[in-house]
Amino acid sequence: MRVTAPLLPPFASDNYAPAHPDVLAAVTAANEGYAVAYGEDPVTARLDARVREVFGPGASAFPVINGTGANVVSLTALSPRWGGVVVSDVAHVNTDENGAPERVGGLKLLPCPSVDGRITPDDVARWAGQRHDVHRAHPAVLSLTQSTELGTVYPLDDLRALTHVAHDLGMAVHVDGSRLANAAAALGCSLRALTTDLGVDVVSLGAAKNGGMLGEAVVVLGPDDGPDGGAGPARESAAAAIPYLRKATMQLASKARFVSAQLLALLGEPGAAVAGTGDDAPLWWRNAAHANAMAARLRDGVLASAGTAPGGGTGVRVTRPVEANAVFATLPRAAADRLRERARFYDWAAGETPDRVEVRWMCAWDTRPETVDAFVSAAVDALG
Ligand SMILES: Cc1ncc(COP(=O)(O)O)c(C=O)c1O
């Protein structure tokens, strides 16, 4: 009789994970009687106060329904009708939003070749070369993803340099922070140190991948938040435009209090510590640090047990630096398919040779160490 090994929890996406119990408890607590709809409620007011503590005294929070919506609202608010948005070629806005920035926002994306998901100030400057040519989209916004789509993290100095060059060239800076928490935990810094203090102007602040249930927020920094006020006028006009744009792009939840409650559960209530690394750290930190640690464990386990293959062969090759909660690796396609019978995950790109494939293994706030170890054993079995 063939004994089938039990299925393991998936490593497909941090979006597959359940919502954290504290998030659900916060939603339940917000479910108290009637509240003014469309964000005029006391829970959203608390979120606004909390975002000012976490990001800067002039910051404003606009809860939205999903990450794609956060990006579209942010970029549309920052870009004039004739503008363009400089992004990496692998940016989620460029590859995984079904053209929403173009279709819904009417934006022109200006992609740069990236290395492990990151771009450089030179890439930005190259696009900026066309900024006085009326035949070309005017590069108005730089959008960076932190942590990146390939599981890497921009170091603070690199982000500072990128922000600096963008502002020098008259561009506003947006961060797709769908996994901002993972980046902050990886760098050991606060959310503010990763955004406001570097001159970032607008953030798509992720919640779903960090233990949330449904909903994210656009955070616009105040003109006096950060080192040089960033793109001050762009921040002011973005903050003024977003209430309208959010509605026009179908991102305004009528019962916004339930989105706000989730974000508050992750960020902490007003007055709580904004950072910290221990058990009393805010939930966003604990969830993200755990997910990152699980990815490091997975990388180490795979490298130690599954046989590395520098140029291909029958083993596994970890293809990107594991800096947040994702592990990218190549392995023989047949082994990937065998492993997928035990735990779901996605193919990402072609491998080094036609018989190999690059896969993505994501860890989440609830990934257990023993699940990682069982997945590594399953990988060893699958590789034969
Ligand atoms: C980097 C990045 N940005 C934005 C999003 C968009 O999130 P949503 O699926 O909520 O639209 C995702 C989702 O996977 C993402 O990975």
Side-chain angles (χ1 to χ4, degrees):
M1 189 179 82
R2 185 167 174 253
V3 180
T4 315
L7 280 184
L8 297 171
F11 283 80
S13 172
D14 34 8
N15 276 332
Y16 280 39
H20 192 279
D22 291 1
V23 168
L24 294 180
V27 170
T28 302
N31 193 31
E32 193 52 56
Y34 283 68
V36 183
Y38 301 111
E40 300 293 318
D41 60 89
V43 184
T44 303
R46 279 200 336 266
L47 173 66
D48 221 34
R50 182 57 174 165
V51 159
R52 287 196 292 274
E53 287 177 359
V54 171
F55 286 93
S60 331
F62 301 93
V64 293
I65 291 164
N66 57 34
T68 300
N71 288 338
V72 170
V73 168
S74 302
L75 297 177
T76 312
L78 286 170
S79 179
R81 198 77 189 95
W82 56 93
V85 180
V86 176
V87 294
S88 93
D89 50 358
V90 299
H92 196 270
V93 287
N94 190 39
T95 59
D96 280 305
E97 298 187 356
N98 199 310
E102 293 93 335
R103 295 182 209 283
V104 181
L107 298 163
K108 171 83 177 155
L109 298 183
L110 307 172
C112 309
S114 56
V115 177
D116 293 330
R118 290 180 281 231
I119 59 173
T120 66
D122 285 347
D123 296 322
V124 181
R126 257 192 299 280
W127 273 119
Q130 68 177 37
R131 73 191 188 284
H132 299 302
D133 182 345
V134 295
H135 303 282
R136 307 279 176 100
H138 178 83
V141 187
L142 168 64
S143 177
L144 302 163
T145 309
Q146 175 77 316
S147 54
T148 73
E149 290 78 2
L150 296 181
T152 54
V153 172
Y154 284 97
L156 294 182
D157 283 346
D158 290 14
L159 264 189
R160 190 177 290 108
L162 279 157
T163 303
H164 196 76
V165 82
H167 285 160
D168 266 2
L169 294 165
M171 300 162 73
V173 179
H174 164 255
V175 165
D176 176 349
S178 181
R179 299 187 182 87
L180 191 70
N182 299 89
L187 293 168
C189 69
S190 65
L191 296 173
R192 181 184 171 123
L194 195 51
T195 52
T196 323
D197 293 350
L198 303 174
V200 170
D201 299 299
V202 176
V203 182
S204 296
L205 178 63
K209 296 171 176 63
N210 187 225
M213 181 173 64
L214 176 79
E216 322 260 319
V218 174
V219 173
V220 182
L221 280 309
D224 298 323
D225 293 335
D228 54 5
R235 294 180 184 186
E236 280 179 300
S237 65
I242 285 175
Y244 302 97
L245 280 173
R246 181 175 53 169
K247 179 67 183 184
T249 55
M250 295 162 279
Q251 286 292 318
L252 177 60
S254 59
K255 294 192 175 182
R257 63 173 144 155
F258 298 114
V259 178
S260 302
Q262 297 173 57
L263 286 149
L264 268 173
L266 294 168
L267 292 177
E269 288 286 340
V274 293
T277 54
D279 287 347
D280 55 352
L283 185 58
W284 69 262
W285 172 284
R286 285 181 275 133
N287 284 352
H290 176 82
N292 292 355
M294 291 302 99
R297 185 182 183 103
L298 177 53
R299 173 203 55 205
D300 294 347
V302 157
L303 290 180
S305 325
T308 54
T314 56
V316 172
R317 192 168 76 89
V318 173
T319 44
R320 319 279 174 183
V322 177
E323 295 170 352
N325 63 326
V327 178
F328 286 81
T330 55
L331 71 169
R333 206 173 273 281
D337 290 341
R338 275 194 296 277
L339 180 56
R340 223 186 315 267
E341 288 173 14
R342 296 290 313 284
R344 188 177 164 140
F345 58 86
Y346 292 114
D347 288 350
W348 198 258
E352 302 86 349
T353 51
D355 59 333
R356 289 176 66 83
V357 64
E358 185 177 32
V359 299
R360 183 186 77 165
W361 297 322
M362 294 297 296
C363 296
W365 69 268
D366 73 329
T367 304
R368 300 180 66 82
E370 51 274 25
T371 307
V372 171
D373 299 346
F375 185 77
V376 170
S377 301
V380 172
D381 290 349
L383 286 156

